[in-house]
Amino acid sequence: MYKFIKERRRQHAITEEDMKEVEEKFEIKFPAALREFYLEHNGDFIRMSCFSINGEKFTLNDMYYIKIKGEAPVELMLQWQRDDGYISSNLIPFACDCGGESYYWSTEDEKVYFIDGMDLENPIYICENISEFLNY
């Protein structure tokens, strides 16, 4: 379904309860398309993908996972983000580029943004929603 999935790793499958645990802890609700992605592809290997938005090139290098062997990177990233306060708490990280910079979805309207670590105050609009992003 997603052209960037390189290799399935079913041993990292998660449940609805895993998703709900993160949602309750951080008082968020994952968009349906991202929830579906995580329930089907949590921890899968992906191939680097390139795409352009308004003439600017972006890469997708990895999708953050919910849980792998008890670790919860999305949770960790959200906690660090909330602790340092540099990035708005309504922006939730879900993927990164090849330089380690993150893509975020907004809890306000589900739009997707990219934040360059050198310019935290100016998120770059990528697309209207997660479904659109996952289909680049």
Side-chain angles (χ1 to χ4, degrees):
M1 179 171 168
Y2 306 104
K3 57 187 172 188
F4 56 84
I5 298 294
K6 183 176 182 179
E7 181 184 327
R8 303 282 314 255
R9 296 193 307 176
R10 294 306 304 155
Q11 72 268 30
H12 301 305
I14 60 168
T15 64
E16 272 291 335
E17 278 62 38
D18 295 320
M19 299 289 299
K20 287 178 185 174
E21 185 180 309
V22 175
E23 288 177 328
E24 289 172 7
K25 181 175 182 178
F26 292 97
E27 299 176 348
I28 60 173
K29 179 82 172 142
F30 285 98
L34 191 55
R35 170 179 248 92
E36 183 180 305
F37 176 84
Y38 280 132
L39 290 171
E40 186 64 27
H41 297 287
N42 185 62
D44 286 355
F45 287 118
I46 71 168
R47 66 180 49 84
M48 188 173 77
S49 303
C50 299
F51 58 95
S52 289
I53 306 289
N54 297 324
E56 190 171 352
K57 294 187 189 268
F58 293 91
T59 60
L60 171 63
N61 192 57
D62 205 2
M63 295 288 291
Y64 299 136
Y65 52 87
I66 296 295
K67 284 188 176 185
I68 292 181
K69 296 181 183 174
E71 296 177 23
V74 168
E75 262 187 271
L76 229 74
M77 295 188 71
L78 280 167
Q79 193 60 58
W80 291 338
Q81 179 177 317
R82 299 232 169 128
D83 288 348
D84 68 25
Y86 293 118
I87 296 173
S88 172
S89 63
N90 74 314
L91 294 176
I92 310 301
F94 70 94
C96 67
D97 72 356
C98 58
E101 304 297 348
S102 294
Y103 293 94
Y104 297 80
W105 60 272
S106 171
T107 58
E108 294 173 354
D109 54 17
E110 296 187 5
K111 290 182 180 179
V112 175
Y113 297 90
F114 176 78
I115 297 181
D116 182 329
M118 302 306 281
D119 191 6
L120 299 175
E121 295 177 7
N122 296 302
I124 300 167
Y125 170 80
I126 298 295
C127 59
E128 282 298 305
N129 55 51
I130 293 289
S131 292
E132 190 176 329
F133 182 88
L134 292 174
N135 288 305
Y136 274 130

